[in-house]
């Protein structure tokens, strides 16, 4: 499997502690299967290897899907999941699904048939631009106006701007070997973008506060640098990079500056209004040239939409694709997608209107309070250490214990946190289901027990750390790539 992307694995300033020594497994598929059962329904439902000859009744199809959905929702409904389920209200989802259903079959590429898409997408972009202070652009860049696109998710909202900056560098500056500087904590979809677009990623370390080292970034700007990236907040630790400093650096060198607000774009603005000390990270800063914000995270929409904003329409045009000479007709599309369902667009628009500022604020307030409770609780546990100064994603690591042992225990109690590495850690991305009464206290109680468990003498290697032990060296990464390839293959197997 070609793997151009993991060549510059950089350790950040802190040494990983107690990474369990592990030999690469002989049979990677077997190892992965031991961690995740891809086929729990193998004995319960018929497996289809071909389209059934006779139609099956809608009723029985829906019953089967319903049984799976109900089981799979249990964990999210219990409020013990980090991230992933952002709203969690089934009445809300029901409403979004109704909106979705009206346009599920519509292809938004065909605007003559579906002018509603123009209204809905334009308004989603405008509402997001307003939330992220797009109007401020007129003050520092008169004549420019924020614009954007609706994408299929955060990943597309990161690939598109990389294409834009590559094309801008090529067309306006003659840059043939483009480089993008990103913090090591920036989202991995940027690595995917670089892999696809043949861009070189330069990974900046983080400072003692776990936020991007802007001095390091400044020292690594070259004539080939097309763009820099900062996160608000980043996925691993939820922290907001020094966006104002990076903005100044971008202006200094006329670089594209993408602020990855996929995670924070729809939650941090409410924190600011609630009086939390959130540094400015949006279009009020003159160096910011694009921002991504995921409607399908804290926008509380259905999965499959995100918003990507540019400071001006010249930038946006670099991501457009048109091809007038195709026998199939004149073709144009704004981003990576071809045909797209209007359903998710309608649902995103419906989510924004039905919540309103008031709805977003109320949920945000509870999220920040819950996160503060968790943060305060963790601070009283001497064996744990929080990464930086977080607001809604609380990331922590072990002091003298293996944090993956902590995770093993939490998993046994039904919690689903996200495992971090380089260095090892866990994060709890607080979402609306986690704000239910008693969840934070139950978590802290289990966390204390988990730490006690992690101190048990003679524990074997942590189950949830098994894969992480392999990474960090070329041979280890090669073994992991094989393992992942086998796992991805396995995801498309009908019951083996
Ligand atoms: C979720 C996320 C993304 C994009 O992820 P998708 O799964 O493609 O939506 C990008 N950046 C950050 C910081 C994120 O949290």
């Amino acid at each position: 499997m070609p793997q151009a992307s993991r060549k510059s694995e950089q350790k950040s300033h802190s040494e990983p502690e107690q990474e369990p020594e592990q030999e690469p497994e002989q049979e990677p598929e077997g190892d992965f299967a031991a961690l995740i059962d891809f086929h729990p329904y193998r004995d319960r439902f018929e497996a289809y290897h071909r389209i059934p000859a006779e139609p099956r009744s809608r009723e029985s199809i829906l019953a089967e899907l319903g049984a799976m959905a109900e089981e799979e929702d249990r964990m999210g409904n219990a409020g013990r999941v980090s991230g992933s389920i952002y709203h969690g209200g089934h009445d809300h989802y029901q409403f979004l699904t109704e909106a979705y259903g009206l346009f599920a079959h519509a292809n938004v590429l065909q605007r003559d048939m579906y002018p509603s898409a123009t209204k809905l997408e334009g308004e989603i972009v405008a509402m997001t631009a307003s939330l992220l202070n797009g109007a401020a652009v007129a003050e520092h860049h008169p004549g420019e106006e924020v614009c954007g696109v609706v994408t299929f998710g955060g990943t597309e909202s990161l690939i598109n701007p990389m294409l834009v900056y590559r094309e801008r560098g090529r067309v306006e500056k003659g840059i043939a070997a483009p480089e993008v500087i990103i913090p090591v904590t920036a989202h991995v979809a940027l690595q995917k973008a670089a892999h696809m677009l043949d861009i070189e990623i330069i990974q900046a370390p983080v400072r003692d506060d776990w936020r991007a080292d802007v001095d390091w970034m400044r020292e690594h700007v070259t004539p080939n640098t097309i763009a820099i990236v900062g996160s608000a907040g980043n996925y691993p630790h939820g922290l907001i990079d020094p966006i104002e400093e990076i903005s100044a650096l971008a202006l200094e060198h006329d670089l594209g500056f993408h602020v990855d607000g996929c995670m924070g774009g729809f939650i941090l603005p409410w924190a600011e209004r609630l009086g939390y000390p959130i540094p400015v990270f949006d279009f009020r800063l003159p160096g910011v040239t694009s921002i991504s914000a995921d409607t399908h995270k804290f926008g509380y929409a259905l999965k499959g939409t995100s918003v990507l904003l540019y400071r001006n329409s010249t930038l946006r045009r670099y991501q457009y694709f048109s091809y007038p000479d195709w026998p199939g007709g004149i073709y144009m599309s704004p981003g990576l997608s071809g045909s797209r369902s209007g359903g998710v667009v309608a649902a995103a628009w419906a989510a924004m209107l039905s919540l309103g500022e008031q709805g977003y604020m109320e949920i945000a307030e509870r999220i920040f309070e819950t996160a503060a409770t968790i943060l305060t609780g963790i601070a009283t546990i001497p064996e744990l250490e929080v990464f930086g100064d977080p607001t809604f994603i609380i990331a922590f690591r072990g002091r003298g214990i293996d944090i993956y042992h902590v995770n093993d225990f939490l998993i046994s109690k039904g919690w689903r946190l996200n495992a971090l590495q380089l260095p090892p850690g866990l994060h709890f991305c607080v979402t609306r289901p986690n704000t239910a009464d008693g969840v934070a206290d139950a978590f802290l109680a289990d966390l204390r027990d988990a730490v006690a468990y992690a101190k048990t003498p003679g524990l074997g290697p942590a189950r949830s750390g098994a894969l992480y032990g392999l990474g960090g060296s070329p041979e280890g990464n090669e073994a992991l790539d094989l393992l992942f390839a086998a796992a991805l293959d396995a995801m498309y197997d009908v019951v083996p």
Side-chain angles (χ1 to χ4, degrees), residues 117-429:
T118 301
K119 171 179 164 57
L120 303 183
E121 290 202 325
E123 292 175 12
I124 291 168
V125 167
M127 289 189 277
T128 310
S130 154
L131 181 64
L132 296 171
N133 290 293
V137 162
E139 293 158 27
H140 46 76
H141 286 86
E144 295 189 22
E145 195 179 345
V146 169
C147 60
V149 290
V150 176
T151 68
F152 61 64
T155 296
E156 192 193 350
S157 291
L158 292 179
I159 296 173
N160 281 330
M162 293 304 108
L163 172 64
V164 162
Y165 298 127
R166 188 192 75 179
E167 288 305 287
R168 176 181 177 238
R170 189 175 62 78
V171 172
E172 298 181 17
K173 300 179 178 183
I175 295 173
E179 296 169 9
V180 174
I181 306 174
I182 71 170
V184 67
T185 47
H187 197 273
V188 66
L190 291 159
Q191 300 282 359
K192 190 193 255 187
H195 178 59
M196 295 169 70
L197 298 169
D198 203 14
I199 289 169
E200 172 121 32
I201 289 280
I202 313 292
Q203 273 187 320
V206 290
R207 312 184 300 205
D208 287 343
D209 62 1
W210 297 95
R211 303 185 310 144
D213 185 338
V214 184
D215 291 334
W216 193 101
M217 291 175 129
R218 178 174 288 102
E219 285 158 18
H220 289 77
V221 172
T222 74
N224 284 332
T225 309
I226 52 166
I228 44 182
V229 172
S231 311
N234 65 45
Y235 175 86
H237 312 130
L239 302 173
I240 305 168
D241 285 319
I243 303 296
E244 189 166 2
E245 289 174 51
I246 303 175
S247 161
L249 176 59
L251 282 180
E252 224 173 274
H253 295 278
D254 184 31
L255 303 173
F257 176 22
H258 183 78
V259 175
D260 182 4
C262 282
M263 186 63 94
F266 278 97
I267 182 99
L268 293 173
W270 312 118
E272 187 184 340
R273 293 192 199 180
L274 289 163
Y276 287 85
I278 303 296
V280 173
F281 67 89
D282 58 24
F283 285 111
R284 285 170 287 182
L285 298 174
V288 172
T289 53
S290 53
I291 308 182
S292 48
D294 284 357
T295 31
H296 72 191
K297 285 185 174 160
F298 289 102
Y300 309 123
L302 296 177
K303 291 293 181 214
T305 59
S306 165
V307 178
L308 169 59
L309 301 172
Y310 291 104
R311 197 177 71 203
N312 60 54
S313 56
T314 310
L315 288 170
R316 182 172 61 179
R317 284 197 177 186
Y318 282 118
Q319 74 158 64
Y320 289 170
F321 179 81
S322 57
Y323 196 85
D325 299 331
W326 182 42
I330 290 166
Y331 184 88
M332 62 171 184
S333 70
L336 294 182
S337 300
S339 296
R340 264 184 324 130
S341 167
V344 286
V345 174
W349 183 84
M352 292 169 94
L353 298 194
S354 75
L355 283 155
E357 290 188 344
Q358 193 188 325
Y360 281 111
M361 288 278 275
E362 281 169 11
I363 300 172
E365 187 163 18
R366 299 217 314 272
I367 286 176
F368 288 105
E369 282 169 8
T370 304
T373 303
I374 292 173
L375 179 61
T376 311
I378 293 176
T380 66
I381 304 175
E383 294 86 354
L384 298 177
E385 179 186 341
V386 171
F387 289 88
D389 185 15
T391 49
F392 65 99
I393 293 177
I394 313 298
F396 52 97
R397 57 179 176 158
R399 274 200 198 120
I401 54 172
D402 183 343
I403 197 68
Y404 300 136
H405 279 138
V406 173
N407 198 30
D408 284 354
F409 185 91
L410 291 172
I411 290 169
S412 77
K413 294 286 173 184
W415 298 98
R416 186 179 188 275
L417 269 59
N418 300 95
L420 311 173
Q421 59 173 341
L422 304 167
L426 297 175
H427 89 206
F428 197 143
C429 172

